[in-house]
Amino acid sequence: RKEVEQDPGPFNVPEGATVAFNCTYSNSASQSFFWYRQDCRKEPKLLMSVYSSGNEDGRFTAQLNRASQYISLLIRDSKLSDSATYLCVVTGGTSYGKLTFGQGTILTVHP
Amino acid sequence: NAGVTQTPKFQVLKTGQSMTLQCAQDMNHEYMSWYRQDPGMGLRLIHYSVGAGITDQGEVPNGYNVSRSTTEDFPLRLLSAAPSQTSVYFCASSYSKVSTGTMITDTQYFGPGTRLTVL
C-alpha cells in the first residue's frame, strides 16, 4: 500500500463548479499535512497547509480527519486558472524535512 | 532572494557518464531534499539533509550521492548514469516552525527542476 494515495483523476469540471479531492495516508504518526499545486512542467508550490480544525483560504477549504487518516481539499467556484495537478503531501513523525507525496490529482476546468 | 536555484535546466547524458546536479538556496533553510518525478509515480525522495554535514537516504537513493558542506548548497551526483534515471529532478528546501499548539509545519520551496535524459 502506498503511504499517500490520491485519486489521479482527471477531474474535468466547468467554470463555477465545486470540486473535492480526497487523500489517504497510512502512517498514523504523520504530523503535518499539505496541499501543493503543480502546473504543467513546473515545480510544486504550496497551496495550503491542513490543520485538524480545518482551514479555509478564499475558495479553498482543507480538512484533516486523523481518525480516518484522510485529507480533503474543496475548491469552490472553479476558475480556468485552477487547472493543475494537486498534490497531497504528508510529513513523517521524526524528520521535519521528509515529505511523502501522493501521485497527484489532475484537475481541468473548462469554459 | 533568489529562492532555490538549480542548474542545469536540461541535460542529456550517455549511459555510464557521471554528472552533478547543482542546488542552492539563499533562505538559510536547514533542510534540503532531492526528489525525482516520473509519470504516474509522483515525487519520490532521493536524499535529504537536516543541516550542513548531515545527509540521509530517502525512498530511492541507489545510484545517487549527496553531500552538504554548507547550508546553502546540496549537490546531487549521478555516479554512472542509466536510462532508468531519466526523470525530472527537483531540489527543495524548508524551514520548520512551532505553532501555538503542538503542531510543527514545514513549507518546502522547490527549485525549477532539471530535466535529465539518459540515452
Side-chain angles (χ1 to χ4, degrees), chain B residues 22-66:
Chain B
Q22 301 292 344
C23 174
Q25 54 91 9
D26 60 0
M27 297 174 282
N28 202 32
H29 287 167
E30 291 181 318
Y31 307 105
M32 297 186 75
S33 308
W34 276 102
Y35 298 87
R36 61 178 288 174
Q37 186 173 35
D38 303 293
M41 300 289 291
L43 279 91
R44 292 181 292 168
L45 182 65
I46 305 172
H47 285 285
Y48 67 101
S49 169
V50 298
I54 306 169
T55 63
D56 205 349
Q57 295 181 350
E59 182 184 356
V60 287
N62 292 341
Y64 307 95
N65 272 358
V66 292

Side-chain angles (χ1 to χ4, degrees), chain B residues 18-113:
Chain B
S18 62
M19 79 159 294
T20 299
L21 307 185
Q22 301 292 344
C23 174
Q25 54 91 9
D26 60 0
M27 297 174 282
N28 202 32
H29 287 167
E30 291 181 318
Y31 307 105
M32 297 186 75
S33 308
W34 276 102
Y35 298 87
R36 61 178 288 174
Q37 186 173 35
D38 303 293
M41 300 289 291
L43 279 91
R44 292 181 292 168
L45 182 65
I46 305 172
H47 285 285
Y48 67 101
S49 169
V50 298
I54 306 169
T55 63
D56 205 349
Q57 295 181 350
E59 182 184 356
V60 287
N62 292 341
Y64 307 95
N65 272 358
V66 292
S67 59
R68 184 92 180 272
S69 56
T70 66
T71 299
E72 295 78 18
D73 299 299
F74 191 42
L76 178 73
R77 282 183 291 278
L78 279 70
L79 307 173
S80 177
S84 61
Q85 293 179 304
T86 294
S87 187
V88 181
Y89 291 84
F90 289 104
C91 178
S93 72
S94 66
Y95 67 93
S96 64
K97 65 179 181 181
V98 178
S99 70
T100 52
T102 57
M103 180 184 63
I104 299 171
T105 60
D106 305 289
T107 298
Q108 295 229 341
Y109 297 87
F110 286 82

